[in-house]
């Protein structure tokens, strides 16, 4: 049975219970998520052919330090980088390295900052130079999946409405939804309850209540949904080597719907795509 508890009195560990945050929590998340969104905005001009993901990762670290924030991924369960950079057929958790980006690549950059104890988690897709129409279409479909999932959020509905909206649209566009990874509760913890599936039916999942905070982060493939994790223990790739894309926002459930905490201040939520 699912239980909900006041985040102000909850222990700082994942108990499987769902935290409900008040205005103080929402205010803290706005600040942390705004910093993450501003970092992702700055990366728009950096992502180009010849730049390494290690250079991008170094910027993410320094940007956080300059603003009093720590990258949540740094030393998380042995992970040694400040961001995840997932290129082409990498689904998620790609590790930054010294290999230069190439014209035609697509790359997801996933950043989470901890600011004053609050976790701001978001990711965007970035086209590198000129990309093929198939890749551009995948980015368009994936972003639309994200926003359709978010549009379904309202108190009283079950979290399954998010996945149902995403899966319905993705499959109508002849794409597939990755099942192996999901969104998650976030706030004072990096990963918390509940899990947010990006597929399924509207009647599944837990009831959404005002004060819940979680991520929506669909991973959409041009080919089949199956993935595998490489020997480094982190990098997940499509088994058929088809292109994969992901966008992510952190969301707070309100009395009437939801608030997106990680919107781009510069309206660059989908870099390189037509307005």
């Amino acid at each position: 049975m699912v239980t909900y508890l006041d985040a102000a009195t909850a222990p700082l560990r994942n108990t499987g219970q769902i935290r409900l945050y008040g205005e103080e929590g929402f205010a803290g998340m706005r600040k942390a998520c705004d910093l993450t969104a501003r970092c992702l905005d700055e990366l728009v001009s950096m992502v180009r052919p010849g730049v390494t993901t290690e250079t991008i990762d170094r910027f993410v670290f320094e940007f956080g330090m300059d603003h009093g924030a720590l990258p949540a991924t740094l030393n998380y369960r042995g992970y040694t980088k400040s961001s995840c950079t997932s290129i082409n057929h990498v689904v998620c958790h790609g590790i930054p390295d010294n290999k230069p980006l190439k014209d035609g690549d697509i790359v997801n950059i996933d950043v989470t900052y901890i600011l004053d104890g609050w976790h701001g988690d978001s990711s965007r897709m970035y086209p590198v130079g000129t990309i093929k129409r198939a890749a551009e279409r995948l980015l368009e479909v994936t972003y639309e999946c994200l926003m359709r999932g978010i549009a379904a959020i309202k108190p009283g509905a079950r979290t399954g409405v998010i996945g149902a909206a995403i899966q319905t649209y993705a499959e109508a566009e002849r794409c597939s939804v990755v099942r192996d990874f999901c969104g998650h509760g976030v706030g004072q913890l990096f990963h918390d309850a509940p899990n947010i599936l990006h597929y399924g039916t509207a009647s599944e999942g837990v009831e959404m209540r005002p004060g819940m905070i979680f991520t929506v982060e669909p991973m959409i493939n041009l080919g089949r949904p199956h993935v595998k994790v490489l020997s480094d223990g982190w990098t997940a790739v499509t088994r058929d080597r088809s292109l994969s894309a992901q966008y992510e926002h952190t969301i707070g459930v309100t009395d009437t719907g939801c608030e997106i905490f990680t919107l781009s201040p510069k309206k660059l939520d989908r870099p390189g795509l037509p307005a």
Side-chain angles (χ1 to χ4, degrees):
M1 180 172 174
V2 177
T3 57
Y4 303 79
L5 73 167
D6 182 352
T9 59
L12 279 178
R13 56 186 174 85
N14 187 343
T15 62
Q17 299 166 300
I18 297 174
R19 298 164 194 267
L20 300 179
Y21 291 91
E23 179 51 40
E24 181 181 354
F26 271 48
M29 288 299 287
R30 289 185 192 109
K31 292 179 181 178
C33 290
D34 177 70
L35 182 63
T36 297
R38 286 192 284 128
C39 175
L40 294 175
D41 281 353
E42 293 298 316
L43 293 176
V44 173
S45 61
M46 284 188 65
V47 176
R48 59 185 185 275
V51 173
T52 68
T53 50
E54 179 64 41
T55 298
I56 292 168
D57 188 70
R58 191 178 311 115
F59 173 84
V60 170
F61 176 78
E62 292 173 354
F63 187 89
M65 292 295 100
D66 289 345
H67 292 86
L70 262 176
T73 56
L74 188 61
N75 298 320
Y76 177 78
R77 296 184 178 178
Y79 191 81
T80 60
K81 301 295 182 178
S82 299
S83 63
C84 296
T85 52
S86 303
I87 303 168
N88 296 335
H89 72 292
V90 178
V91 175
C92 61
H93 303 157
I95 302 173
D97 60 23
N98 287 313
K99 184 178 178 180
L101 294 169
K102 303 190 302 296
D103 187 70
D105 285 342
I106 56 173
V107 57
N108 175 274
I109 304 176
D110 192 339
V111 174
T112 304
Y113 282 129
I114 309 171
L115 181 65
D116 299 328
W118 299 96
H119 294 73
D121 190 357
S122 187
S123 79
R124 298 180 201 164
M125 294 299 302
Y126 297 80
V128 182
T130 302
I131 63 175
K132 293 181 179 179
R133 175 54 192 155
E136 182 180 63
R137 177 177 166 274
L138 175 62
L139 268 55
E140 292 170 347
V141 169
T142 306
Y143 184 78
E144 183 66 16
C145 283
L146 170 69
M147 299 312 292
R148 288 187 180 221
I150 291 171
I153 296 171
K154 61 180 180 181
R158 293 193 171 274
T159 53
V161 299
I162 302 169
I166 291 168
Q167 182 179 7
T168 297
Y169 183 75
E171 292 180 354
E173 294 295 321
R174 303 181 304 282
C175 295
S176 64
V177 181
V178 171
R179 267 70 163 171
D180 298 68
F181 301 97
C182 60
H184 52 88
V186 68
Q188 291 172 302
L189 298 179
F190 190 7
H191 294 103
D192 202 1
N195 288 338
I196 304 297
L197 304 184
H198 303 119
Y199 61 93
T201 62
S203 61
E204 297 174 327
V206 301
E207 179 187 341
M208 290 185 277
R209 296 186 182 181
M212 289 173 63
I213 299 177
F214 52 78
T215 67
V216 180
E217 46 183 301
M219 287 143 274
I220 308 297
N221 296 347
L222 270 184
R224 297 178 65 81
H226 311 299
V227 308
K228 64 179 179 180
V229 176
L230 301 185
S231 59
D232 60 30
W234 290 100
T235 308
V237 300
T238 55
R239 284 189 174 271
D240 61 7
R241 297 189 65 83
S242 63
L243 289 178
S244 186
Q246 178 188 27
Y247 291 86
E248 175 185 10
H249 275 313
T250 295
I251 309 297
V253 181
T254 67
D255 290 333
T256 57
C258 70
E259 178 178 346
I260 305 175
F261 293 127
T262 43
L263 285 172
S264 164
K266 296 182 178 180
K267 302 189 184 304
L268 297 172
D269 294 292
R270 31 181 272 165
L273 295 181

